[in-house]
Amino acid sequence: MPPLETLLAMCCFALASAATPGPVNIIGAMTGATHGAPRALRFVSGATASFIALLVIVGSGMLIGTEWVLALAWPMTLAGSAYLLWMACGLLRGGGGNPADSDPSIPGFWSGVVVQGLNPKAWLAVFSSISTFVLPLEDRTTGMAVFTILFGAICWLSLAAWAWGGARI
C-alpha cells in the first residue's frame, strides 16, 4: 500500500486531471445541457471505463517497457482529433431538445469509450501519473491497483459533475 502522502498526492493529481476542462468534460457538459444529466451519465460511465482500461493497459506496459506505447502517440493524436471534431460538429448540429433515449445523436457509453480512448489529455494524465506515482513505489502492482481505483472513482465523479452542471444551464 502506498504511503498516505502518496495517496493524497495521487488523489490531488487525479482531481486536477479529471476536473479541469478537456474534450470529454465539455462533451459531458453539453450532453447534460441538451439531454439531461441521467442520459449524460452513460457517456460519463463509458469515458470512465475507457480511462480505467487505458490506465491499466498503458500502466502495465510501462511496468515492462514504454517503447511500444510511444509508437502510438502520433496515430492516436490524429485519430482522436478527427473523432473529437466529428463529435463537436454533431453537438453543434443538435437542436437542443430532449429526444428519446434511443436517439443516436445522444453520446452514450460507447461514444464515451471512444472519445476518452482517443483523448490526448487522458493519455498525458496516464503517462505522467504512472511515472510519477506508481513507478517509484516498491510494490508497483499494489500501487497500480490502488491508483486505478482512486483515479477511476475521481474521474467518474468529476465527469458526472460536469454533466450535472451542464444540465443546470
Side-chain angles (χ1 to χ4, degrees):
M1 183 71 137
L4 179 60
E5 58 272 6
T6 302
L7 290 173
L8 291 173
M10 287 176 171
C11 288
C12 289
F13 181 88
L15 183 61
S17 297
T20 54
V24 174
N25 307 72
I26 301 303
I27 293 170
M30 292 294 295
T31 303
T34 56
H35 306 291
R39 291 184 185 143
L41 291 181
R42 294 179 197 146
F43 176 82
V44 165
S45 296
T48 302
S50 181
F51 185 81
I52 290 170
L54 186 64
L55 188 64
V56 169
I57 292 167
V58 173
S60 298
M62 286 181 73
L63 294 177
I64 59 172
T66 59
E67 292 187 23
W68 68 272
V69 177
L70 296 176
L72 295 175
W74 182 244
M76 291 300 289
T77 300
L78 292 176
S81 298
Y83 187 72
L84 291 173
L85 182 62
W86 178 77
M87 288 290 292
C89 289
L91 285 172
L92 287 174
R93 285 191 306 263
N98 259 343
D101 280 339
S102 62
D103 186 339
S105 69
I106 302 172
F109 182 86
W110 293 110
S111 292
V113 168
V114 172
V115 170
Q116 188 71 293
L118 297 173
N119 181 3
K121 179 182 166 193
W123 282 79
L124 288 172
V126 166
F127 282 116
S128 57
S129 62
I130 296 297
S131 60
T132 301
F133 299 113
V134 177
L135 293 181
L137 296 173
E138 285 184 36
D139 183 2
R140 293 177 180 157
T141 304
T142 302
M144 184 72 195
V146 169
F147 190 58
T148 300
I149 291 166
L150 287 173
F151 214 137
I154 291 169
C155 178
W156 192 90
L157 290 170
S158 297
L159 294 176
W162 276 84
W164 179 80
R168 301 299 175 262
I169 293 176

